[in-house]
Amino acid sequence: MRTHPISVRLGSAAILALSLGGCSASDYSAPIATFADATTAAESALSDLNKTVTGEYTEFLSQQARTNPRLVVKAADNECELGSERCRVAIIDPANPDKPGIFPPDPLLGNMVVVMHDIDVYAQNLAALVADDSAAKAEADVNSALGSVEHLANTVAKADGKPAGTVPNFATPVGAGVNWLVGEYANQVKLAGLRTATRKADPVIQRAADLFKNAAIFGSDPQRAALVKSFRERIDAYQDDQSSETKLNAAVNAAKTYDDLLQSKPGETFQAMGEAHAALTKALNDASLSWPQVFAKIKSFAAKAQELAKIAKGLAALTEGNP
């Protein structure tokens, strides 16, 4: 009996449809959206922390330069000359001349903010990819995601001081029989794109997580001292007027906010982000993790990001109330 070639192709398409029935890009929509929202929250929190803490440290250095006669204010070594590449002011303590304070200081969390920004751009590209309604849009967004991965790799390499690799463009996965399935081709482009993008991005994201896993907001005792004064002024004000409930509450609130800041570890947010992305990559590429396991990792990252955001808001409120 002769088999018609069209029947064979339709039969193959039907088998393919059945085999792909439990694997749709929309299945990944919620976890990817949650991951993308968490990266946005983390970037915003780090940016706010960076602005506030750097501002406080800048004010501290300025106050020290104006009020501490022991300090020497001069051009930084080998700078501000005719052939110099930089010209910055250094504040030097004669008791510790090897550790000058550059004024104004570089952003204290600058590298973290830049890296998390690039991770957020990548995550938003993943979210856009899941929402695409055509293969053409999906292919474009896959390449946007891969482009953001390459940019992220360069950013991390710059922060890490090591070379970055190159991420290739995405090749549209045209397979036998796929075009026979109405709407399934776009779904397969999205799935292949998500798998490719996460697989290429994961080593870069793990490198970023490892780079900042032990990061702290404070890099030195002077930076701590810059923020201690906010609390000290409030506790001293209460000591001068111990009958004042308002001043007592102000001191307690300042202590709580500063304690939260001391306990916060931005590196933990990066670590949770790395674990969440690794879980997402595994679920997409080899199904070795269940979606409840993946969601648990992503929700843990989201919680860390929200915790960091809360600390950032608390610190901003503390410093705004203490001009």
Side-chain angles (χ1 to χ4, degrees):
M1 178 179 176
R2 184 182 176 186
T3 304
H4 198 284
I6 296 295
S7 299
V8 172
R9 284 194 287 182
L10 287 173
S12 299
I15 292 171
L16 181 60
L18 289 172
S19 67
L20 296 173
C23 191
S24 170
S26 62
D27 295 340
Y28 305 93
S29 178
I32 288 175
T34 303
F35 180 80
D37 288 345
T39 60
T40 298
E43 183 202 357
S44 178
L46 286 170
S47 180
D48 289 345
L49 277 174
N50 185 45
K51 180 180 178 181
T52 302
V53 178
T54 302
E56 282 293 290
Y57 185 45
T58 301
E59 175 57 30
F60 172 77
L61 289 177
S62 174
Q63 183 183 54
Q64 289 292 298
R66 289 180 281 110
T67 62
N68 190 337
R70 293 191 310 107
L71 300 181
V72 177
V73 180
K74 59 185 282 292
D77 288 348
N78 302 315
E79 295 190 10
C80 302
E81 302 293 343
L82 186 61
S84 298
E85 295 182 357
R86 301 290 302 272
C87 184
R88 297 173 297 174
V89 172
I91 301 173
I92 302 170
D93 184 346
N96 197 10
D98 295 334
K99 295 183 178 180
I102 299 298
F103 183 80
D106 290 331
L108 301 187
L109 306 181
N111 281 342
M112 277 192 257
V113 173
V114 172
V115 169
M116 188 58 80
H117 169 75
D118 283 0
I119 291 172
D120 184 47
V121 170
Y122 156 74
Q124 301 311 316
N125 282 328
L126 286 187
L129 172 59
V130 173
D132 285 335
D133 58 5
S134 74
K137 287 182 181 178
E139 185 178 356
D141 279 334
V142 173
N143 280 321
S144 293
L146 291 174
S148 63
V149 172
E150 186 167 13
H151 192 278
L152 171 62
N154 289 327
T155 300
V156 173
K158 184 177 180 181
D160 198 15
K162 298 176 182 177
T166 300
V167 179
N169 284 339
F170 175 65
T172 308
V174 180
V178 173
N179 285 308
W180 287 90
L181 304 177
V182 178
E184 189 57 42
Y185 178 49
N187 179 58
Q188 288 307 297
V189 171
K190 290 199 287 186
L191 277 174
L194 288 170
R195 288 165 178 158
T196 299
T198 54
R199 190 170 62 249
K200 296 294 184 183
D202 198 56
V204 182
I205 286 181
Q206 299 313 317
R207 183 176 175 184
D210 188 63
L211 180 62
F212 294 116
K213 67 181 179 183
N214 296 318
I217 288 177
F218 301 108
S220 67
D221 287 341
Q223 292 168 10
R224 288 177 181 268
L227 298 174
V228 165
K229 70 182 181 70
S230 295
F231 166 71
R232 293 305 316 173
E233 288 175 358
R234 284 166 172 76
I235 197 69
D236 289 345
Y238 169 69
Q239 294 294 344
D240 292 338
D241 184 9
Q242 295 188 13
S243 64
S244 172
E245 182 179 3
T246 299
K247 291 180 180 179
L248 174 60
N249 289 338
V252 170
N253 289 338
K256 177 64 170 64
T257 303
Y258 185 50
D259 185 60
D260 284 345
L261 182 61
L262 291 172
Q263 295 299 316
S264 72
K265 296 178 177 63
E268 290 185 356
T269 301
F270 274 89
Q271 194 73 13
M273 179 269 301
E275 292 173 359
H277 191 272
L280 182 63
T281 303
K282 284 185 178 180
L284 278 163
N285 286 278
D286 61 27
S288 61
L289 287 179
S290 68
W291 278 113
Q293 290 174 303
V294 175
F295 245 136
K297 293 290 186 182
I298 292 175
K299 287 178 179 178
S300 176
F301 167 42
K304 290 288 184 184
Q306 291 300 325
E307 181 182 346
L308 206 60
K310 179 181 177 182
I311 290 170
K313 289 180 181 178
L315 181 60
L318 171 65
T319 55
E320 286 171 5
N322 184 45

